[in-house]
Amino acid sequence: MYNENLITEENIEMINENFIEDEQLKIDISETVGDIHVEDPRIIAKNVNVFYGEKIAINNVSIDIGKNEVLAMIGPSGCGKSTFLRCLNRMNDTIESCKVQGEIYLDNKNILEKKTDVVPLRARVGMVFQKPNPFPKSIYDNVAYGPKIHGLAKNKTELDEIVFNSLERAGLLAEVKDRLNSPGTSLSGGQQQRLCIARTIAVSPEVILMDEPCSALDPIATAKVEQLIYELKENFTIVIVTHAMQQAARVSQRTAYFHLGNLVEVGATEKIFTTPQHKLTESYITGRFG
Amino acid sequence: MFFIIALLGVSGYFAGLRKSLIIREKNTLHSTPIYHGVLLAVNSSLASILTLVVWLIIEKNIFYELKFFREYLYFLTFIVFSFTATLTYNKIKHEFKARDNLEKIIKLFLLSCSSLAILVTIGIFLSVIFESQKFFNTIPIIDFLFGTHWSPQMPIREDQVGSSGAFGAVPLFTGTFLIAFIAMCIAGPIGLMSAIYLSEYATKNVRNFIKPLTEILAGIPTVVYGFFAVIVVAPFIRNTGEQLGISIASESALAAGLVMGIMIIPFVSSISDDVINAVPRNLKDGSLGIGATKSETIIKVIIPAALPGIIGGLLLAVSRAIGETMIVVMAAGMSANLTANPFEAVTTVTVQIVILLVGDQEFDSPKTLAAFALGLVLFFITLILNYIALHIVRKYREQYE
Ligand SMILES: Nc1ncnc2c1ncn2[C@@H]1O[C@H](COP(=O)(O)OP(=O)(O)OP(=O)(O)O)[C@@H](O)[C@H]1O
Ligand SMILES: [Mg+2]
């Protein structure tokens, strides 16, 4: 009544039921609708399959991710967004039961090959998580952590520069510059998340993966992070998973809609939100905004 | 006697059941008939047992003559039973809250069970304090706590020459801490590293294999460890020492400390394992996600995050090492040397308590009373250690919840 956009459990259930009905109508979701290719790709994923044990979680997904674009991934809970995102920097390696097949090219190198060294890969493809997770260290050390382990700074002055620069770019410097030595956990949730972003950009990655980076934040902190994402796209390729449709609309150029492990539709964000081609995409988008 | 009460109780149950069933025919009941029956049985049985107990206590302690009236006891119990039974029976009406009453009785019963543990602890504590008090009447507390000479022989007769008895506890405590220190030097690093291996590197299969094995280590009786120390470790250390040209007593702090260290490895390892596993996964992911290796992540993120918990666990282990007796009795010797040299024989507080109390003793000589004083100090030390440790561990848990 007072908030029609509020996602209640009931209407999620309703949406899910709709999907099941749709499935019974045999809507084909194994082919991706829309443009999976872009002109100037940084990442090219080809026929990616992911299994957790016997269970398939990502089914034959192919998609390009362009340079300097923000790609938003949306879809109902459990459809495999996080799983796919974690393939892009091989974070799925940390899960014992998880197997990934297919090819993912980062600048023409297949990162899914066994011989790929994940340490430099993860420095190039950084990740920001759903829950802010600052290390139990000072603010300064949180940001300096990555540059230190990758040996990016030759001396203290260079390290200082990287830290200040990253904090500045994460829009956090002004708020924390007098207390760089207090613990990272003493910051507010939104500040912590921006600290985590600063920590990620401190190793100067080319790609930043964000898994629902704002879901633990209040609207004001969310707006700040969104603004940040918008600015970061000048220099980075960003892939963001989000449940907030408006957020996808605000920050991304392209949107990919996942459903039950399949990439159903991908295309320019405005197109996805105004004239979705696939029935499932449409019911997902309209279902939420009624 | 208790059998009879049980029989009566059962019949009471059926009586209550019947009456309430009859009432239910005409009227709604607040509680189900079963509650009425049980309440009647429990009420009257408890009352009669209470009568029995009170009678026996009075007989044993106050009125010994009561013994001659034993046959009336049965009679009395029976009367009490019938009286409470009738009382409860008459109370059975449609609105009588049998269920709530029974609930109260159960609650009281459970409460008394849990307070028993507390009462016993308090009792032990008070008796130790009381006995120590007697000890400190003969030996000044300052001499006891800060004296450096321990030879607890009191002259039996006034005119006996020689030993006059010295009760300086310092050598005992240095011995205790020396051994605990050696034990922690072994158990700390090994336990911690095995925990790191188990929680971060081992695959599920390896983990399922190793974990039960270390738990078996924890189940070995300490006497067996003591054995092991005397028969294997101590000679080994002595021989090695000889070859290196160091003279090592056949009973040495080192042997006892080593074996005690082995004994507490599983303890340290399982606590550290829990603590490391409690470090949230997303912290680990955060570090791995920007390209840190596994060992970098462990050293720079997981250990610092788990540190308070690990320290708490180590403190708990120390307090166990301090309280341990059997290994030290067998392997560390009995001579109260004030030394920090691990190759010499030392003795510990617990060992001395054992020695003081073993054999024929009068229970009011300073020698035996000294045991209580030692016990008191030991109790305080472990209490403080445990308190600090648990406090740290709890703080740590809260931080990640
Ligand atoms: N570690 C795991 N082991 C087994 N199955 C998993 C694991 N992680 C995810 N899955 C399964 O894989 C599927 C996709 O999960 P994923 O976390 O990628 O979904 P998601 O789209 O990110 O959902 P959400 O929006 O709720 O975050 C789900 O069915 C989930 O149950
Ligand atoms: Mg997810």
Side-chain angles (χ1 to χ4, degrees):
Chain A
M1 199 166 60
Y2 51 87
N3 191 348
E4 285 169 19
N5 291 349
L6 200 69
I7 304 154
T8 63
E9 251 170 65
E10 246 171 57
N11 78 41
I12 287 184
E13 230 163 83
M14 212 182 64
I15 297 166
N16 284 343
E17 269 167 27
N18 281 345
F19 285 146
I20 291 164
E21 269 171 32
D22 285 343
E23 280 227 310
Q24 282 162 349
L25 294 176
K26 295 265 180 297
I27 287 187
D28 188 18
I29 54 173
S30 62
E31 293 271 309
T32 305
V33 179
D35 248 342
I36 60 169
H37 295 296
V38 294
E39 258 170 43
D40 189 13
R42 169 152 272 149
I43 294 178
I44 303 170
K46 277 189 189 159
N47 308 98
V48 175
N49 288 296
V50 183
F51 300 86
Y52 288 110
E54 295 292 299
K55 212 184 93 197
I56 187 157
I58 288 289
N59 185 14
N60 208 18
V61 167
S62 302
I63 188 172
D64 289 0
I65 302 168
K67 282 190 180 130
N68 304 337
E69 83 170 6
V70 178
L71 172 72
M73 306 209 293
I74 58 172
S77 188
C79 67
K81 306 178 296 290
S82 303
T83 303
F84 184 70
L85 193 72
R86 291 163 66 92
C87 291
L88 301 177
N89 69 347
R90 300 255 314 248
M91 276 304 279
N92 281 330
D93 289 14
T94 60
I95 298 170
E96 235 175 278
S97 67
C98 186
K99 273 185 223 55
V100 183
Q101 297 167 351
E103 294 151 47
I104 295 177
Y105 293 95
L106 174 66
D107 294 341
N108 301 323
K109 269 240 193 76
N110 183 3
I111 61 167
L112 290 186
E113 266 173 29
K114 261 240 159 72
K115 64 169 200 271
T116 308
D117 186 358
V118 296
V119 167
L121 169 68
R122 288 179 190 153
R124 291 175 66 191
V125 185
M127 189 151 193
V128 176
F129 297 82
Q130 177 169 2
K131 244 177 97 187
N133 53 354
F135 301 139
K137 297 168 178 295
S138 69
I139 294 173
Y140 182 94
D141 286 335
N142 258 284
V143 184
Y145 181 81
K148 268 189 197 159
I149 56 176
H150 292 293
L152 296 184
K154 284 190 211 74
N155 50 42
K156 178 87 171 102
T157 344
E158 274 187 33
L159 189 62
D160 280 351
E161 205 182 303
I162 294 177
V163 170
F164 283 108
N165 202 346
S166 311
L167 284 171
E168 171 76 64
R169 286 216 273 176
L172 195 59
L173 189 59
E175 288 156 66
V176 301
K177 67 170 179 287
D178 335 307
R179 49 173 182 151
L180 287 173
N181 287 323
S182 44
T185 43
S186 69
L187 296 171
S188 76
Q191 288 173 326
Q192 286 186 17
Q193 193 61 301
R194 279 180 287 147
L195 178 66
C196 293
I197 294 176
R199 187 176 73 191
T200 306
I201 56 186
V203 292
S204 14
E206 295 151 37
V207 183
I208 302 178
L209 311 174
M210 299 185 173
D211 195 348
E212 301 181 38
C214 301
S215 63
L217 307 184
D218 67 79
I220 293 172
T222 301
K224 279 192 178 163
V225 173
E226 282 177 6
Q227 177 64 27
L228 173 61
I229 294 170
Y230 193 79
E231 286 160 14
L232 290 176
K233 88 166 200 292
E234 301 297 319
N235 300 301
F236 304 94
T237 301
I238 295 175
V239 185
I240 179 171
V241 171
T242 176
H243 276 278
M245 227 81 59
Q246 293 119 319
Q247 185 174 65
R250 277 194 296 265
V251 301
S252 72
Q253 283 78 56
R254 276 168 85 229
T255 298
Y257 173 69
F258 282 76
H259 185 74
L260 288 176
N262 291 277
L263 176 56
V264 173
E265 181 166 357
V266 57
T269 299
E270 308 125 27
K271 251 179 94 184
I272 295 276
F273 283 106
T274 51
T275 51
Q277 293 170 34
H278 201 285
K279 228 180 136 184
L280 280 178
T281 320
E282 189 183 344
S283 58
Y284 181 72
I285 288 166
T286 52
R288 290 230 168 151
F289 294 103
Chain B
M1 189 69 215
F2 284 102
F3 178 69
I4 296 173
I5 293 178
L7 260 187
L8 285 173
V10 171
S11 52
Y13 167 72
F14 283 111
L17 194 65
R18 266 210 34 217
K19 179 168 179 196
S20 50
L21 278 174
I22 292 169
I23 293 176
R24 197 167 68 171
E25 301 276 288
K26 308 177 235 147
N27 216 326
T28 52
L29 273 178
H30 170 270
S31 316
T32 50
I34 291 180
Y35 280 108
H36 286 281
V38 173
L39 181 69
L40 191 118
V42 169
N43 249 357
S44 32
S45 311
L46 274 183
S48 32
I49 291 174
L50 206 68
T51 321
L52 259 181
V53 171
V54 169
W55 175 292
L56 289 178
I57 289 177
I58 292 177
E59 181 190 299
K60 287 263 149 52
N61 297 314
I62 306 164
F63 282 131
Y64 303 98
E65 293 77 20
L66 223 52
K67 208 181 330 179
F68 306 113
F69 300 95
R70 261 292 174 80
E71 59 263 37
Y72 293 110
L73 173 58
Y74 303 115
F75 190 59
L76 181 70
T77 319
F78 187 72
I79 291 188
V80 170
F81 187 94
S82 332
F83 181 69
T84 37
T86 342
L87 213 65
T88 326
Y89 188 79
N90 287 336
K91 271 200 208 153
I92 300 179
K93 292 195 186 88
H94 74 97
E95 84 281 17
F96 179 53
K97 297 185 166 131
R99 173 158 43 82
D100 301 358
N101 280 0
L102 193 64
E103 216 41 54
K104 264 182 219 151
I105 291 179
I106 291 176
K107 202 171 96 188
L108 267 177
F109 177 69
L110 295 179
L111 179 73
S112 53
C113 285
S114 60
S115 35
L116 189 68
I118 299 173
L119 284 180
V120 169
T121 315
I122 293 177
I124 292 176
F125 184 66
L126 286 182
S127 77
V128 170
I129 287 197
F130 187 65
E131 299 291 327
S132 310
Q133 184 57 44
K134 281 202 228 153
F135 173 73
F136 291 132
N137 283 341
T138 17
I139 313 286
I141 189 163
I142 302 288
D143 287 1
F144 174 71
L145 285 181
F146 301 105
T148 55
H149 188 63
W150 177 266
S151 65
Q153 303 305 326
M154 280 307 256
I156 295 170
R157 278 168 287 117
E158 287 300 316
D159 54 339
Q160 201 177 15
V161 272
S163 52
S164 62
F167 291 94
V170 171
L172 306 190
F173 284 99
T174 53
T176 305
F177 287 118
L178 178 63
I179 289 180
F181 177 74
I182 297 172
M184 289 316 293
C185 286
I186 305 288
I190 295 183
L192 187 57
M193 298 205 197
S194 86
I196 291 174
Y197 174 74
L198 283 180
S199 58
E200 297 298 322
Y201 287 96
T203 59
K204 237 195 210 141
N205 290 336
V206 176
R207 192 184 158 90
N208 287 344
F209 177 71
I210 294 186
K211 256 222 138 158
L213 276 188
T214 45
E215 266 147 29
I216 289 178
L217 257 190
I220 298 176
T222 51
V223 185
V224 178
Y225 277 109
F227 239 70
F228 176 63
V230 175
I231 294 176
V232 182
V233 180
F236 174 76
I237 291 178
R238 203 181 48 227
N239 292 342
T240 327
E242 266 167 23
Q243 273 159 20
L244 297 173
I246 311 167
S247 81
I248 299 176
S250 59
E251 290 173 326
S252 66
L254 188 61
L258 277 180
V259 175
M260 197 192 284
I262 294 171
M263 184 192 82
I264 43 185
I265 285 174
F267 187 70
V268 174
S269 141
S270 94
I271 289 190
S272 315
D273 189 39
D274 287 351
V275 170
I276 289 175
N277 278 330
V279 174
R281 204 198 143 82
N282 64 26
L283 266 189
K284 209 168 103 185
D285 281 351
S287 170
L288 293 172
I290 50 177
T293 62
K294 220 168 190 176
S295 54
E296 283 166 343
T297 304
I298 290 167
I299 294 168
K300 295 192 174 152
V301 175
I302 295 183
I303 302 274
L307 199 60
I310 291 173
I311 291 177
L314 290 180
L315 285 182
L316 282 182
V318 170
S319 90
R320 258 197 84 170
I322 289 177
E324 170 53 38
T325 315
M326 218 50 220
I327 294 175
V328 210
V329 171
M330 297 170 85
M334 319 228 154
S335 45
N337 291 327
L338 179 58
T339 175
N341 179 357
F343 301 135
E344 274 180 55
V346 295
T347 192
T348 69
V349 177
T350 49
V351 170
Q352 288 306 313
I353 293 179
V354 171
I355 294 174
L356 291 174
L357 294 182
V358 166
D360 296 332
Q361 300 289 348
E362 316 159 49
F363 259 86
D364 48 1
S365 77
K367 196 176 155 184
T368 39
L369 291 177
F372 287 100
L374 286 177
L376 184 68
V377 179
L378 198 64
F379 179 75
F380 269 113
I381 292 177
T382 46
L383 191 73
I384 291 169
L385 273 178
N386 283 2
Y387 178 76
I388 297 174
L390 290 177
H391 189 72
I392 293 176
V393 172
R394 186 149 16 106
K395 260 279 162 60
Y396 166 78
R397 290 260 154 80
E398 279 164 10
Q399 195 181 332
Y400 289 116
E401 255 152 32

